Amino acid sequence: MRIWTFDTTLRDGTQGEAVSFSVEDKLLITQKLDELGIDYIEGGWPMSNPKDKEFFLKARGLKLKHAKLTAFGATRFARNPVEKDSNVLALLEAETPVISIFGKTWDIHATRVLGISLEENLTLIADTVRFLKDHGREVVYDAEHFFDGYQANPDYALSTLEAAKEAGADVLCLCDTNGGTLTHRLAEIVTIVRERFDGVLGIHCHNDCDLAVGNTMAAVEQGVTHVQGCMNGYGERCGNANLASVIANLEAKLGHSTIGPEKLTSLTSVAHYIAELANLPVPAGQPFVGRSAFAHKGGVHVSAVLKDSITYEHIRPSVVGNRQRVLLSDLSGRGNILYKLQQYGLGDRLKDDAKRELLDRMKTMEYLGYELEAAEGTFELLVREALQPGLHFFEVVSFEVGTRMIGSRPSETTATIILRINEAIHSATASGEGPMNALDLCLRQCISATYPAIASVRLTDYKVRVISTEKGTASKVRVLVEWSDHRRSWATVGVSDNVLEASWNALVDAIRLELMRLADKDESIEKAVEDYCWGV
């Protein structure tokens, strides 16, 4: 069955805490959603703020290939004739082919919020829908608070739909605005509405009970053919139905047609693209498109996945443009190690005894507080050291860091390092913006003459996590450092009860790893590592 998709990320999604898009962001997202095959893109409320008004003005220059741009607004004010209502006129001035209008369905909203009679509310709905239809617009009528309204006064809730339908609304969209309707009850109510009204019914669910996607699926099963939601589940309070999950479920699970299987493979990249513009990470565990959606950690799981991925994956990750990952931890088995070695192109280079030793070493490190699932670089270093145990580029003799602060002046940090390189002693002293920077500069000074290629490695992120708090300020910490050499990214980890020592260990491991990569002449290994690293 054909299901029409209605994306409200740019309107309802921006009502979520910490979600904000510039006009340029909104234009870029509109184009990306159009490429994905979304049917309707609700761009905003032109009367509510200057940004949305500017967006619709600039959106006239977009050459959308599929989607219908939609403006959003309310029914006319009770005191205004519809032809003179500034809100309604602003919707026409947006010059979109579709207008989405919301009206009050819950009797308490009409009488207490708007302060009008129930009959007057019906007139507002009918007048506004009819006026917009008379001006040639496709009209989506959003029945705000429909499910709460139905449960409070079913006859009146249905009469609001009747008013919109008789005035010419193209879509009657049932809104679970407070997100509090349980799935079985929502399905019962949708069934009643479907029996009474023909034409296109829509569903708009909020996630306050963590049921928005499930409720949307249930509504489709009862005959709804128009689904609304936000990419990544953005939206007010707990968010809206996650449109990425809705689309994936409809296509991959229920066999309905939304954006089509070819464009479905772009779902993960589009979700991450929008998250990047929102400056919000996609939750790792977000279904279908999250980084952990197809990640496997337990050794038993990985062993089975290596034989047949269907054993622990409900769909193939490639269907939604995602990828399978295997994590490394104290829960790992030999299957995890084998999987990683194959990805790095090293599967045939380690003997069985070496693989067992590597697994034991890895479990010991995890017990001590290392987090290898987040530090692929540290794991790769362990493998390369197992392959070439005699390869040592440098040996750390000592390092020292001192920070001095006098009065209100900025602090000064100086580091001194002594290394042994090819039996020669090298030392350096450097000042930096804090201990990590000073150590980094100092280490590079010591080895740059011998290994100039190391200059391309740069730190991109630095995280410190207290592992156990029972010792207070003497607790052990884990430092995770992310690096890049402009071709790929990787992370290394250090653990100690001294944050400087943990940071130093992560720094040294990153440099050692890059030197081992440069020394390895097997280009297939480099390509395998580069292909594997996430986000490169």
Side-chain angles (χ1 to χ4, degrees):
M1 183 167 64
R2 177 71 164 96
I3 307 295
W4 305 94
T5 54
F6 184 107
D7 182 278
T8 181
T9 305
L10 302 180
R11 198 274 304 173
D12 215 346
T14 60
Q15 294 180 185
E17 188 173 3
V19 179
S20 180
F21 297 114
S22 68
V23 172
E24 290 304 316
D25 289 338
K26 295 181 73 165
L27 293 169
L28 290 170
I29 291 171
T30 300
Q31 291 176 311
K32 187 63 70 173
L33 292 173
D34 178 55
E35 293 170 8
L36 184 62
I38 298 298
D39 297 307
Y40 298 86
I41 301 172
E42 192 172 62
W45 189 341
M47 188 62 184
S48 67
N49 62 83
K51 183 192 294 184
D52 282 359
K53 187 174 182 178
E54 181 184 355
F55 165 76
F56 284 110
L57 183 64
K58 291 187 174 181
R60 295 173 189 171
L62 297 178
K63 299 186 184 302
L64 302 182
K65 296 180 179 179
H66 177 81
K68 296 178 182 179
L69 193 59
T70 304
F72 174 86
T75 54
R76 70 170 175 87
F77 287 104
R79 65 179 180 271
N80 296 335
V82 67
E83 68 275 7
K84 294 184 179 180
D85 188 275
S86 57
N87 170 67
V88 175
L89 295 177
L91 293 171
L92 293 178
E93 291 168 3
E95 296 186 5
T96 59
V98 184
I99 294 175
S100 178
I101 282 290
F102 77 92
K104 302 300 184 183
T105 305
W106 195 354
D107 54 8
I108 193 175
H109 273 261
T111 56
R112 293 191 185 180
V113 178
L114 296 184
I116 61 176
S117 70
L118 298 183
E119 283 301 318
E120 285 179 295
N121 183 51
L122 297 178
T123 302
L124 299 186
I125 295 169
D127 283 354
T128 308
V129 172
R130 187 176 296 110
F131 181 77
L132 297 174
K133 288 300 298 179
D134 289 344
H135 283 76
R137 301 300 198 269
E138 180 179 345
V139 176
V140 175
Y141 176 68
D142 282 347
E144 188 187 34
H145 293 103
F146 178 78
F147 295 95
D148 292 315
Y150 183 89
Q151 296 185 87
N153 187 339
D155 290 339
Y156 185 71
L158 292 171
S159 70
T160 63
L161 296 181
E162 196 70 54
K165 180 70 173 179
E166 291 181 355
D170 298 279
V171 178
L172 299 178
C173 186
L174 312 180
C175 302
D176 187 27
T177 309
N178 286 355
T181 308
L182 298 182
T183 305
H184 73 282
R185 184 58 177 145
L186 181 138
E188 291 171 359
I189 296 172
V190 172
T191 301
I192 293 169
V193 176
R194 179 76 282 175
E195 291 173 351
R196 179 160 172 172
F197 294 91
D198 58 8
V200 180
L201 282 186
I203 187 70
H204 177 112
C205 293
H206 283 253
N207 202 38
D208 298 73
C209 291
D210 206 18
L211 296 172
V213 172
N215 282 353
T216 302
M217 296 298 104
V220 170
E221 290 293 277
Q222 302 307 316
V224 161
T225 56
H226 169 111
V227 295
Q228 297 192 3
C230 297
M231 294 300 290
N232 300 319
Y234 299 148
E236 197 165 23
R237 303 184 312 276
C238 303
N240 288 53
N242 187 334
L243 195 59
S245 296
V246 169
I247 290 171
N249 276 307
L250 289 174
E251 289 269 1
K253 295 294 186 178
L254 296 178
H256 295 302
S257 174
T258 58
I259 60 176
E262 183 177 342
K263 291 184 177 179
L264 189 63
T265 60
S266 300
L267 191 64
T268 297
S269 64
V270 171
H272 284 262
Y273 177 87
I274 293 173
E276 186 70 24
L277 291 182
N279 198 27
L280 295 170
V282 173
Q286 183 164 307
F288 295 103
V289 302
R291 189 167 184 256
S292 300
F294 300 96
H296 307 280
K297 188 172 183 178
V300 173
H301 289 206
V302 175
S303 178
V305 166
L306 286 173
K307 297 179 176 68
D308 191 336
S309 62
I310 197 174
T311 53
Y312 285 99
E313 289 176 353
H314 63 106
I315 63 169
R316 288 181 293 108
S318 59
V319 169
V320 291
N322 209 332
R323 65 192 303 176
Q324 184 186 88
R325 297 172 60 240
V326 167
L327 309 178
L328 297 167
S329 74
D330 56 339
L331 300 177
S332 299
R334 292 187 65 194
N336 300 58
I337 299 297
L338 179 61
Y339 186 98
K340 288 296 185 184
L341 293 176
Q342 289 174 344
Q343 285 186 316
Y344 287 131
L346 303 172
D348 298 328
R349 296 176 59 178
L350 272 184
K351 296 181 179 179
D352 288 343
D353 288 345
K355 291 175 184 176
R356 281 192 291 270
E357 290 176 6
L358 179 61
L359 178 59
D360 290 341
R361 184 179 178 187
M362 190 179 69
K363 287 179 179 287
T364 299
M365 292 177 67
E366 285 277 345
Y367 175 76
L368 294 174
Y370 286 79
E371 190 179 57
L372 295 181
E373 70 180 60
E376 298 283 353
T378 297
F379 171 73
E380 185 186 347
L381 178 63
L382 294 176
V383 174
R384 290 184 180 275
E385 287 178 341
L387 286 169
Q388 297 175 293
L391 185 60
H392 299 289
F393 296 94
F394 61 87
E395 178 186 347
V396 178
V397 177
S398 67
F399 77 91
E400 182 178 348
V401 183
T403 298
R404 182 175 66 172
M405 185 173 181
I406 301 175
S408 59
R409 288 185 293 178
S411 62
E412 299 176 357
T413 300
T414 303
T416 300
I417 294 174
I418 300 176
L419 302 180
R420 180 178 288 109
I421 305 175
N422 298 328
E423 301 304 322
I425 296 297
H426 298 255
S427 64
T429 299
S431 297
E433 302 294 328
M436 187 63 171
N437 181 238
L439 286 169
D440 187 18
L441 294 173
C442 213
L443 180 59
R444 291 172 191 273
Q445 285 183 27
C446 272
I447 64 176
S448 58
T450 308
Y451 308 114
I454 210 66
S456 64
V457 177
R458 60 187 177 87
L459 182 149
T460 59
D461 200 4
Y462 177 81
K463 300 182 180 74
V464 179
R465 177 78 178 269
V466 177
I467 298 175
S468 55
T469 59
E470 64 272 7
K471 293 185 178 180
T473 55
S475 297
K476 186 180 290 188
V477 297
R478 177 169 57 237
V479 173
L480 185 70
V481 187
E482 294 183 11
W483 308 89
S484 172
D485 63 0
H486 306 291
R487 289 189 301 152
R488 60 184 157 232
S489 298
W490 68 94
T492 52
V493 62
V495 173
S496 174
D497 53 12
N498 183 317
V499 67
L500 292 181
E501 183 179 11
S503 302
W504 168 253
N505 289 340
L507 169 62
V508 169
D509 281 357
I511 300 300
R512 280 179 170 153
L513 173 59
E514 185 68 356
L515 291 174
M516 296 192 85
R517 287 170 172 168
L518 293 170
D520 197 324
K521 302 305 181 182
D522 188 343
E523 294 182 359
S524 65
I525 296 176
E526 291 296 297
K527 182 63 167 61
V529 173
E530 184 173 350
D531 288 344
Y532 171 75
C533 290
W534 179 271
V536 178

